[in-house]
């Protein structure tokens, strides 16, 4: 019998209820696996639990939470060989949705029983990891606003978007690659490992988490009239041909921005006005 650790973030989203451990036990193949449960109690606790868990030789470490929670565990598990599973219970669940992990506890646990592994890439912003999507500009401002709001969930997220939209404008970015320097102007610049932010908002349709490539997406600020079509195209994965949208790919960039902050998988953080974006290939084993 092999032991599996479930790290539960009780405040991620609303779905991770009190009795989630019983739901997990109900669907877990307990002939094969013995579940252990740990609950995060403060910011940074998930990384600490994951670090300690690496010494305790679990067969797999499963994160119950959203993209922020997944990031906290994954940044410890990279390069470790211990596979990470996800039971999605955040507000966006971008990485889980990208990997087509079921959003129900039952479906997600049944996937864990099969233990099928994908070796996925990680994006590095300076020395910090992003596994889903990172970015600067509008979406970083939204993540900042969202973090300050008391209520989580999709509704609060939409409110944060609306509030930021008025204040946010196009800014100048310099994107430096090995070969060339691009001077760009846009509303947001995203670094995508996965294809979506979460909630099926496809910022980089076609992005692949294990191709060793960063999808770099520039979006110009839409006018109010352009928002409905642009939003429709984002939500249907057809944004690629929109006039406000531009996508490049690469393995390493140096970015100059007007602000000094970014978001990494939805969590705001300071990166400076000049920072690097690189990719580490196939460094995280994920159950999918
Ligand atoms: Mg990729």
């Amino acid at each position: 019998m092999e032991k599996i650790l479930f790290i539960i973030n009780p405040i991620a989203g609303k779905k991770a209820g009190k009795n989630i451990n019983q739901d997990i036990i109900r669907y877990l193949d307990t002939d094969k696996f013995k579940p252990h449960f740990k609950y995060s109690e403060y910011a940074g606790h998930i990384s600490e639990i994951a670090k300690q868990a690496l010494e305790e030789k679990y067969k797999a470490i499963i994160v119950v939470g959203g993209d922020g929670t997944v990031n906290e565990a994954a940044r410890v598990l990279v390069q470790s060989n211990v596979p990470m599973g996800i039971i999605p219970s955040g507000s966006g669940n971008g990485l889980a949705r990208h990997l087509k992990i079921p959003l129900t506890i039952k479906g997600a646990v049944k996937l864990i029983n099969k233990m099928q592994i994908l070796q996925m890439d990680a994006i590095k912003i300076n020395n910090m990891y992003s596994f889903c999507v990172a970015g600067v500009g509008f979406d970083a401002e939204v993540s900042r606003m969202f973090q300050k709001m008391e209520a989580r969930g999709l509704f609060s997220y939409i409110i944060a978007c609306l509030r930021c939209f008025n204040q946010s404008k196009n800014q100048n970015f310099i994107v430096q690659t090995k070969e060339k320097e691009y001077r760009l102007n846009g509303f947001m610049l995203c670094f995508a490992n996965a294809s979506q932010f979460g909630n099926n908002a496809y910022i980089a349709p076609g992005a692949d988490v294990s191709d060793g490539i960063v999808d770099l997406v520039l979006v110009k600020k839409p006018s109010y009239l352009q928002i409905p079509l642009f939003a429709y195209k984002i939500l249907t994965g057809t944004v690629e041909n929109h006039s406000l949208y531009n996508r490049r790919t690469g393995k390493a960039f140096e970015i100059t921005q007007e602000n000094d902050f970014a978001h990494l998988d939805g969590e705001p953080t300071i990166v400076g006005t000049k920072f690097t974006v690189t990719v580490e290939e196939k460094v995280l084993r994920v159950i999918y």
Side-chain angles (χ1 to χ4, degrees), residues 98 121 123 192-194 206-215 249-250 279:
H98 175 94
D121 306 332
I123 292 178
N193 196 32
D208 182 337
V209 292
S210 48
D211 62 358
I213 280 170
V214 184
D215 284 46
T249 54
V279 60

Side-chain angles (χ1 to χ4, degrees), residues 184-241:
L184 309 174
N185 183 264
F187 185 47
M188 59 193 229
L189 187 63
C190 302
F191 317 108
N193 196 32
S195 55
Q196 62 165 282
F197 285 126
N199 294 312
N200 293 333
Y202 293 97
I203 188 64
D208 182 337
V209 292
S210 48
D211 62 358
I213 280 170
V214 184
D215 284 46
L216 186 129
V217 171
L218 179 78
V219 177
K220 282 192 170 285
K221 186 170 185 176
S223 69
Y224 281 106
L225 279 176
Q226 286 173 311
I227 291 175
L229 179 64
F230 190 79
Y232 172 80
K233 286 189 162 282
I234 286 279
L235 291 169
T236 52
T238 56
V239 73
E240 196 93 36
N241 58 2

Side-chain angles (χ1 to χ4, degrees), residues 135-195:
V136 292
F138 174 68
D139 55 337
E141 286 162 31
V142 171
S143 74
R144 254 193 174 185
M145 172 84 74
F146 188 56
Q147 196 191 43
K148 287 185 205 145
M149 293 168 72
E150 293 207 346
R152 305 291 285 184
L154 182 58
F155 182 71
S156 304
Y157 188 76
I158 291 171
I159 297 289
C161 285
L162 293 176
R163 281 192 197 158
C164 289
F165 186 79
N166 289 321
Q167 298 146 239
S168 227
K169 11 180 222 280
N170 287 323
Q171 61 164 301
N172 293 314
F173 298 108
I174 302 171
V175 174
Q176 178 81 50
T177 68
K178 239 183 188 174
E179 301 82 27
K180 227 181 143 173
E181 181 185 284
Y182 301 92
R183 288 181 178 263
L184 309 174
N185 183 264
F187 185 47
M188 59 193 229
L189 187 63
C190 302
F191 317 108
N193 196 32
S195 55

Side-chain angles (χ1 to χ4, degrees), residues 60-78:
I61 294 174
I62 315 299
V63 180
V64 184
D67 288 311
T69 314
V70 167
N71 182 303
E72 263 202 61
R75 74 174 83 143
V76 173
L77 300 183
V78 282

